[in-house]
Amino acid sequence: MEAVVVGEAGQLEIQPVPLPQAKHDEAIVELHATSINRGEARRAKQVAKPGFRPGWDVAGVVRQAAENGCGPPVGARVVGLLTGGAWSEFTAIPVTALAELPPGISFAEASCLPVAGLTALYALHRGASLVGRRVLVTGATGGVGHLACQIGQASGATVIAAIRDPAHEPFVRRFGADAVALIGDEASAVSRYGPYDLIVESVGGAMLEACLPALSPHGLCVALGVSGGRRFSLDAEAFFRARASLTGMVLFHDLQTIESAATGLSRLLSLMARGKLRPHIGGRRPWLEIDSAADDLLKRAMPGKIVIERRRDEH
């Protein structure tokens, strides 16, 4: 079969690899579409050694059901999550990480949900009840951010999207923002729109540093990204006085303690089916263009998600 493999020069190549062998609790899924996430693109293009097989998100059709009798049957349209190797023609996926697609949801749309959607869902989950709460989402035009805005709004929160470019205001309002914090190149400007009960912070560095003083008493900041920098400073005394909280989040760790990926994906698909959640596909690329697509994602060439399609028959 074909799979995406990191080449000798660090580029993503389509190479022949052995077919997967499923365990008793795994189904074999034929890939129709996948979306690229910034973390996996950065690892594949900048860190991984030749021979590494990247990929987290899978949307496709079950070609072999799990031997244990659990999970979706042969022919089911599914979306799933792996910790690596998902950019492959066929993958073996635990049934606890697979959810069936409702009618009308395409493979391309579903492929946007596993990492970005679950990250947004569980970051907001940290805030418990969101009804009437003020929630700030940084990186609001990104794959996680625009989904977090919609999920927050559907949960009853007042969602404020932090953006640098005023040209992006129509986009974030269309995808769930009730209000917009225009910060330009000055991260500290985010405090002018606070205080916030919950902050979903996906940038890091100066942005994370600016967000913490903007929390309301007993507010919570969930930090889940470092594209803007891995280090920040903190006025500890002021932070202590606010009795606010800062917590970090790594999706694959949360999936071991909160619920199965299958359950979370089913919740996201239900929101989509009810018209409460809509992934924005900023670009669609064919299978053979995955290397350039990953480069475009790292350059932030477009808002939303970049989807790679192996097959175009979506329904």
Side-chain angles (χ1 to χ4, degrees):
M1 70 170 186
E2 293 182 340
V4 175
V5 180
V6 175
E8 292 295 331
Q11 74 280 15
L12 301 179
E13 301 176 348
I14 308 295
Q15 297 183 10
V17 301
L19 285 164
Q21 300 298 312
K23 299 177 182 178
H24 76 287
D25 61 346
E26 294 178 333
I28 299 293
V29 177
E30 180 183 8
L31 180 72
H32 282 230
T34 184
S35 69
I36 307 177
N37 299 283
R38 194 172 306 280
E40 63 190 341
R42 185 181 298 110
R43 181 182 181 188
K45 299 284 292 183
Q46 301 173 2
V47 178
K49 296 180 180 179
F52 177 73
R53 290 175 54 188
W56 294 332
D57 299 341
V58 176
V61 175
V62 174
R63 296 306 181 196
Q64 177 182 312
E67 290 182 0
N68 65 2
C70 298
V74 171
R77 301 170 63 251
V78 296
V79 61
L81 177 67
L82 286 171
T83 57
W87 296 345
S88 304
E89 185 178 1
F90 297 95
T91 52
I93 306 179
V95 295
T96 54
L98 281 176
E100 290 195 49
L101 305 187
I105 295 179
S106 71
F107 291 121
E109 292 170 325
S111 74
C112 300
L113 296 181
V115 167
L118 290 174
T119 297
L121 181 68
Y122 296 144
L124 291 161
H125 180 271
R126 301 280 185 95
S129 174
L130 297 179
V131 176
R133 300 296 184 91
R134 289 176 57 82
V135 175
L136 176 71
V137 178
T138 67
T141 62
V144 173
H146 85 291
L147 296 177
C149 287
Q150 295 175 73
I151 298 169
Q153 188 180 70
S155 301
T158 297
V159 177
I160 300 94
I163 59 173
R164 297 179 183 277
D165 188 345
H168 290 152
E169 180 168 351
F171 174 87
V172 294
R173 286 190 180 276
R174 188 166 69 251
F175 288 94
D178 297 294
V180 173
L182 292 171
I183 61 173
D185 294 324
E186 184 186 355
S188 61
V190 75
S191 63
R192 295 201 293 264
Y193 301 85
Y196 310 104
D197 300 301
L198 174 66
I199 299 177
V200 178
E201 209 298 283
S202 62
V203 179
M207 179 57 71
L208 176 56
E209 182 175 324
C211 282
L212 295 179
L215 285 167
S216 63
H218 303 290
L220 171 66
C221 178
V222 182
L224 51 90
V226 293
S227 61
R230 294 176 176 272
R231 296 183 180 278
F232 69 98
S233 61
L234 171 67
D235 183 338
E237 185 176 355
F239 187 68
F240 296 158
R241 285 200 305 269
R243 291 169 290 177
S245 300
L246 168 65
T247 184
M249 177 184 168
V250 177
L251 174 63
F252 291 106
H253 293 172
D254 279 31
L255 287 171
Q256 298 174 18
T257 58
I258 296 178
E259 62 188 8
S260 70
T263 301
L265 288 169
S266 294
R267 293 168 64 191
L268 293 170
L269 290 167
S270 176
L271 287 172
M272 285 189 66
R274 291 185 284 122
K276 301 293 187 181
L277 182 65
R278 177 166 53 101
H280 174 71
I281 300 175
R284 294 178 183 232
R285 301 288 183 83
W287 181 238
L288 294 177
E289 294 182 12
I290 193 167
D291 184 66
S292 61
D295 287 336
D296 286 345
L297 180 69
L298 292 174
K299 295 173 186 174
R300 302 181 185 275
M302 59 197 73
K305 298 285 289 178
I306 296 180
V307 170
I308 302 298
E309 294 177 305
R310 235 197 102 252
R311 300 183 60 171
R312 292 300 299 269
D313 49 331
E314 295 194 342
H315 296 288

